[in-house]
């Protein structure tokens, strides 16, 4: 647990001298994500590489220590009416952990992922050299290469990110949804309306007893729902309504006007709230589940979710950024590894022709050993070249990256 960048550099230099492997960690909230390292000699905790750089109040940039909890950063900036447009779901996560895992929350819809907001990083190479990257396209390319690398390309020390003013008003417009095809149609409608949403999030539960329609017989909305193609001819439809929720941010009058327009677009079922739903910024999986991440063009998100349901033989809880085509899903941890493998094969078979992918985020050990966590990786050759350049001895978190890198 080194007390600063130079102490952390000494740890890495010592590891290099004695041919020891090093696995960095932040708060440990995602330590079970991805592949397990093949060898761990030293666990390097970054918790003391924390703090927020002394920038003038209102500055558009903040330099934050990698070990700083994200919620502490937001609390500090909030006192001056600012924020980072980062809302990663992992409670207690550090900024370095969020970047190293490539984690993002609902705000990625409008502001991009945390890695998209990077202006520069300081990191330690495998030999302990302290490197600064940023300040231009080549430097940013290197900085962003560390995003999602699980600490296997370098140890993040600090990051510089864009800071923005806190929005004066926030409203959540929610509408019940029942099927992926219905979600597809609604998301297309919302995007076409050009309401500048900060987030478009979906929660489709596995299902409980289905409620009665809120409309009396003959009501136009009831008839429209029954006529919707997603309501018939599909076995395994969810038996409890999910939610499609749109976050609007900005000035009070502007946000109110946009919310009213959105309610009109979504018809009488939509409601407006001043706070997020309880599931907002939460994953649909629990410890012990097999957690999946599906990434697909938004026009094909419904096909991906249907493929997952068909392969599993039952509705599967799905949650995430429907407006971007990035969602998470959960398979029960009790499923046999070969059953999980067959589900993955079926889903990936559907996604391959749609430029999509399905990644196993975390899973019980027997499942990890039995399945391909990553599926086909288009940039594997570039990733291999980066590993050979930045960590030729494979000393940093060996085996954490795709391809056993």
């Amino acid at each position: 647990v080194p007390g600063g960048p130079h102490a952390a550099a000494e740890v890495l230099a010592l590891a290099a001298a004695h041919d020891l492997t090093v696995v960095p960690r932040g708060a440990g909230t995602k330590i079970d994500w991805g592949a397990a390292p093949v060898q761990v000699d030293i666990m390097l905790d970054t918790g003391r590489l924390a703090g927020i750089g002394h920038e003038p109040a209102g500055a558009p940039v903040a330099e934050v220590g990698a070990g700083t909890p994200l919620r502490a950063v937001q609390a500090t900036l909030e006192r001056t009416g600012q924020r980072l447009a980062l809302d990663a779901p992992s409670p207690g996560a550090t900024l370095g952990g969020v970047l190293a895992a490539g984690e993002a929350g609902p705000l990625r819809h409008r502001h991009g992922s945390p890695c998209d907001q990077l202006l520069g990083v300081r990191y330690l190479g495998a030999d302990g050299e302290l490197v600064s990257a940023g300040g231009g396209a080549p430097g940013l390319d290197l900085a962003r290469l560390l995003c999602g690398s699980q600490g296997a390309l370098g140890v993040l020390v600090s990051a510089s990110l864009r800071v923005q003013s806190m929005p004066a008003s926030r409203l959540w417009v929610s509408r019940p949804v029942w099927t992926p095809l219905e979600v597809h149609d609604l998301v297309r409608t919302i995007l076409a309306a050009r309401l500048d949403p900060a987030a478009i999030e979906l929660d489709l539960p596995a299902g409980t007893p289905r409620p009665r329609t809120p409309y009396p017989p003959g009501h136009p909305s009831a008839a429209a729902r029954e006529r919707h193609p997603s309501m018939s001819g599909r076995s395994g439809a969810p038996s409890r309504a999910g939610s499609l929720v749109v976050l609007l941010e900005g000035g009070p009058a502007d946000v109110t006007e946009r919310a009213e327009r959105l309610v009109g677009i979504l018809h009488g079922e939509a409601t407006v709230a001043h706070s997020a739903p309880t599931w907002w910024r939460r994953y649909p999986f629990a410890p012990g589940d097999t957690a999946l991440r599906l990434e697909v063009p938004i026009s094909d998100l419904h096909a991906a979710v249907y493929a997952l349901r068909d392969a599993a033989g039952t509705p599967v809880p799905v949650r995430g950024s429907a407006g971007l085509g990035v969602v998470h899903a959960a398979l029960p941890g009790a499923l046999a590894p070969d059953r999980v493998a067959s589900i993955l094969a079926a889903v990936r078979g559907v996604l391959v022709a749609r430029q999509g992918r399905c990644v196993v985020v975390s899973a019980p050990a027997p499942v990890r050993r039995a399945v391909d966590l990553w599926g086909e990786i288009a940039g594997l050759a570039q990733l291999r070249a980066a590993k050979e350049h930045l960590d030729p001895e494979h000393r940093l978190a060996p085996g954490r990256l795709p391809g056993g890198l």
Side-chain angles (χ1 to χ4, degrees), residues 137-208:
L140 274 181
D141 287 344
L142 176 57
R144 290 171 179 164
L145 188 63
L146 299 175
C147 291
S149 68
Q150 301 280 8
L153 297 179
V155 180
L156 286 168
V157 169
S158 65
S160 297
L161 299 111
R162 300 188 191 97
V163 173
Q164 60 178 232
S165 298
M166 287 284 291
S169 180
R170 308 180 85 197
L171 290 177
W172 284 261
V173 180
S174 178
R175 187 193 189 280
V177 290
W178 277 264
T179 67
L181 186 55
E182 183 183 16
V183 171
H184 168 268
D185 293 348
L186 289 170
V187 169
R188 187 170 58 182
T189 299
I190 293 166
L191 294 175
R194 300 188 180 278
L195 296 170
D196 193 22
I200 304 175
E201 291 288 298
L202 168 68
D203 177 47
L204 275 181
T208 54

Side-chain angles (χ1 to χ4, degrees), residues 344 348 356-360 371-378 380 402-403:
L344 281 174
R348 286 168 174 166
R357 60 192 298 238
C358 178
V359 172
V360 179
V371 305
D372 175 3
L373 300 179
W374 310 102
E376 191 170 326
I377 303 293
L380 186 57

Side-chain angles (χ1 to χ4, degrees), residues 16 51 57 60 73 76 94 98 102 104 109 148 150 218 224 240 243 265 286 288 339 374 378:
V73 182
T76 300
T94 63
V98 168
H109 179 89
Q150 301 280 8
R240 175 168 67 85
S243 295
I265 291 170
R339 180 78 180 100
W374 310 102

Side-chain angles (χ1 to χ4, degrees), residues 223-309:
R225 175 185 295 158
E226 294 306 317
R227 287 197 305 269
H228 196 281
S230 68
M231 299 300 289
S232 62
R234 173 68 64 171
S235 61
S239 53
R240 175 168 67 85
S243 295
L244 185 68
V245 179
V246 180
L247 171 61
L248 301 173
E249 296 183 333
D254 173 60
V255 168
T256 299
E257 188 271 334
R258 283 187 286 145
E260 290 173 351
R261 286 172 53 200
L262 183 55
V263 168
I265 291 170
L266 300 179
H267 307 301
E269 295 172 90
T271 58
V272 181
H274 291 271
S275 59
T278 55
W279 53 264
W280 191 264
R281 285 183 58 201
R282 295 176 182 268
Y283 293 117
F285 47 82
D289 288 343
T290 294
L292 308 178
R293 183 175 69 250
L294 286 79
E295 302 172 3
V296 68
I298 56 174
S299 59
D300 291 319
L301 179 60
H302 65 295
V305 177
Y306 278 134
L308 178 60
R309 288 183 174 175

